[in-house]
Amino acid sequence: MKSDEVIKIKIRNLNVQKNTKKPQKEKSARETIGNDFDEEVVDKFPEVLPWNLPAPDSEKNGEKDSEKYRAVLVNADDEKVKETEEKEKKPKIAIVSLTSCEGCQFALLDLGEKFMEAMEKVDMVDFRLIEDEEDSGEKLDIGFVEGNPMTKANKKTLKALRKRSKLLVVLGNCAAMGGVPEIKNYQEQKNTAKHVYKYIRGIDNVEIQEVDNFVKVDFTFPGCPITGEEFLEYFPMLLESAKTGKSLPELADKPVCVECKAKGNRCMLLDKKPCFGPMIQGGCDAVCPSAGMMCQGCRGLRPKGNIKAMRATLKNMMTDEEFENVTEIYGLRDDIFEREYKLDSK
């Protein structure tokens, strides 16, 4: 509710209080008060609705019933004004989907009550999975985005979100690194499309690009999907940054190996099994190695990840072709190439 609507409610309350009319004799309370009532009163104060009030036996009783209803109506509106004013003070956020599986958003919902408690501190303007109301396009403190900006509509949505948000935060591997869809960038795109569509004429088979190719990104929650607990940890810091302009938080530069060791897992590399853990950003609770799978790098390279040492370690465990194939799964290949190019240029 906008501020001008709040003012209108207050003015209406004053008018209701000033224009109390005495009912005519022998008229019912509904006839006395009329049908001009707030719909929210129906749910909150059913006992004082016009048709639930007793018919006045006299002009005095009718006036009393009328005043009772009007008093409750004014109180209900005052309560609405108070709630609206408090809501307007809360930081405004939106969680927006581009082309994606929305797995990162489900990771948030999987937090259950923890997520809902965190959301009580903000005004959720848009979140398709739980909100039915259409986004009004108002200014945001934080805009969260998941998915690939594949279509023209996606790109338009992304740029509009960036424009109206103090901070733009990326959710997950697809938005940050291209994700699984980026695999087709390393293949012959026309043949790749034929695996999905029988007739490819008219199919907009675009190259997959990350969100930061189109707009500035302020913070990234990595992973496929993101880690819910990590979101809860950094969410208050992001709100504070949006509110005060303070420096943005940074993810701790620790490898997946730290969490793997903490869980008591035996290092896969010791058993001559390939794993990217040493060069990949931790924070996932080592979920893949704990399940007996190699880390494939969905959270991206650590700032200080040593790719050269990682390649040397894996030399006798996988071929160069196998290494390239695995790094294509989550869009890691491009990041490795860029990092190695910068190192070679020094």
Side-chain angles (χ1 to χ4, degrees):
M1 185 183 298
K2 305 298 181 184
S3 298
D4 56 345
E5 294 181 72
V6 173
I7 294 171
K8 288 179 182 178
I9 288 176
K10 291 182 176 179
I11 292 173
R12 183 164 70 87
N13 290 346
L14 291 174
N15 290 335
V16 169
Q17 290 172 322
K18 290 179 180 179
N19 298 327
T20 302
K21 296 181 180 180
K22 292 184 178 182
Q24 297 178 3
K25 291 183 179 181
E26 305 302 326
K27 283 191 175 183
S28 68
R30 183 167 187 168
E31 292 173 323
T32 299
I33 300 170
N35 294 318
D36 183 20
F37 59 90
D38 193 309
E39 290 184 2
E40 288 193 13
V41 177
V42 174
D43 296 324
K44 291 187 177 181
F45 309 98
E47 72 280 1
V48 294
L49 290 177
W51 47 85
N52 290 334
L53 290 173
D57 296 328
S58 65
E59 182 175 318
K60 184 177 180 181
N61 287 341
E63 182 178 349
K64 184 177 180 181
D65 290 340
S66 178
E67 289 176 352
K68 181 180 179 183
Y69 171 71
R70 286 191 171 89
V72 173
L73 178 60
V74 170
N75 289 337
D77 278 344
D78 285 344
E79 183 179 334
K80 186 191 296 184
V81 170
K82 184 178 179 181
E83 290 176 357
T84 301
E85 290 175 343
E86 290 178 354
K87 187 176 181 181
E88 288 181 344
K89 293 178 183 178
K90 291 182 178 180
K92 297 182 184 295
I93 73 167
I95 301 178
V96 176
S97 299
L98 302 180
T99 300
S100 71
C101 68
E102 299 183 333
C104 292
Q105 294 171 69
F106 277 104
L108 296 178
L109 295 181
D110 284 343
L111 291 167
E113 291 184 3
K114 291 181 180 180
F115 177 69
M116 301 312 294
E117 288 173 3
M119 293 304 104
E120 288 178 359
K121 301 174 183 177
V122 300
D123 178 10
M124 178 73 76
V125 175
D126 185 29
F127 186 7
R128 194 181 69 81
L129 297 185
I130 61 175
E131 290 285 340
D132 292 329
E133 295 182 8
E134 187 175 345
D135 184 358
S136 61
E138 57 192 297
K139 293 290 185 180
L140 302 170
D141 290 278
I142 306 178
F144 295 91
V145 61
E146 177 187 6
N148 300 112
M150 291 188 185
T151 67
K152 291 180 180 179
N154 284 164
K155 294 168 186 175
K156 182 178 179 181
T157 297
L158 176 61
K159 291 176 181 178
L161 183 65
R162 171 69 274 186
K163 187 175 182 180
R164 58 194 278 230
S165 305
K166 291 181 182 178
L167 298 179
L168 183 72
V169 177
V170 157
L171 296 177
N173 177 261
C174 288
M177 297 170 59
V180 173
E182 192 173 307
I183 293 175
K184 77 169 188 173
N185 287 2
Y186 309 113
Q187 313 296 325
E188 206 288 310
Q189 289 193 15
K190 189 174 182 179
N191 289 334
T192 303
K194 286 182 178 179
H195 284 286
V196 181
Y197 304 101
K198 184 176 181 179
Y199 303 105
I200 64 172
R201 179 178 293 180
I203 299 298
D204 193 12
N205 190 19
V206 299
E207 180 182 0
I208 303 302
Q209 294 180 283
E210 301 84 351
V211 165
D212 63 5
N213 282 285
F214 301 93
V215 295
K216 176 189 173 186
V217 172
D218 297 298
F219 188 84
T220 297
F221 284 104
C224 184
I226 64 170
T227 305
E229 294 295 338
E230 186 174 60
F231 177 89
L232 293 179
E233 178 184 353
Y234 284 90
F235 182 59
M237 303 180 202
L238 291 170
L239 288 177
E240 183 66 18
S241 295
K243 179 181 178 181
T244 64
K246 290 183 179 179
S247 300
L248 289 162
E250 294 182 0
L251 297 177
D253 182 13
K254 61 179 181 180
V256 175
C257 307
V258 172
E259 293 159 332
C260 207
K261 185 72 173 178
K263 298 191 76 169
N265 298 332
R266 177 174 170 79
C267 180
M268 299 179 72
L269 295 173
L270 294 177
D271 294 328
K272 305 300 180 183
K273 296 178 181 179
C275 182
F276 292 166
M279 68 175 179
I280 299 302
Q281 177 69 49
C284 58
D285 202 28
V287 61
C288 291
S290 297
M293 297 172 57
M294 70 172 288
C295 170
Q296 297 177 335
C298 74
R299 288 177 61 85
L301 293 170
R302 292 171 48 214
K304 297 180 181 179
N306 192 328
I307 301 171
K308 186 176 181 180
M310 189 79 259
R311 280 187 179 274
T313 301
L314 295 172
K315 188 174 182 180
N316 296 324
M317 302 179 198
M318 61 195 314
T319 65
D320 289 342
E321 183 180 359
E322 288 172 333
F323 181 87
E324 299 297 333
N325 288 340
V326 175
T327 58
E328 289 176 3
I329 296 174
Y330 292 109
L332 188 63
R333 179 175 167 178
D334 288 349
D335 293 345
I336 289 177
F337 176 81
E338 184 179 347
R339 180 80 64 87
E340 289 180 327
Y341 178 79
K342 288 181 179 179
L343 291 173
D344 292 340
S345 300
K346 289 183 178 180

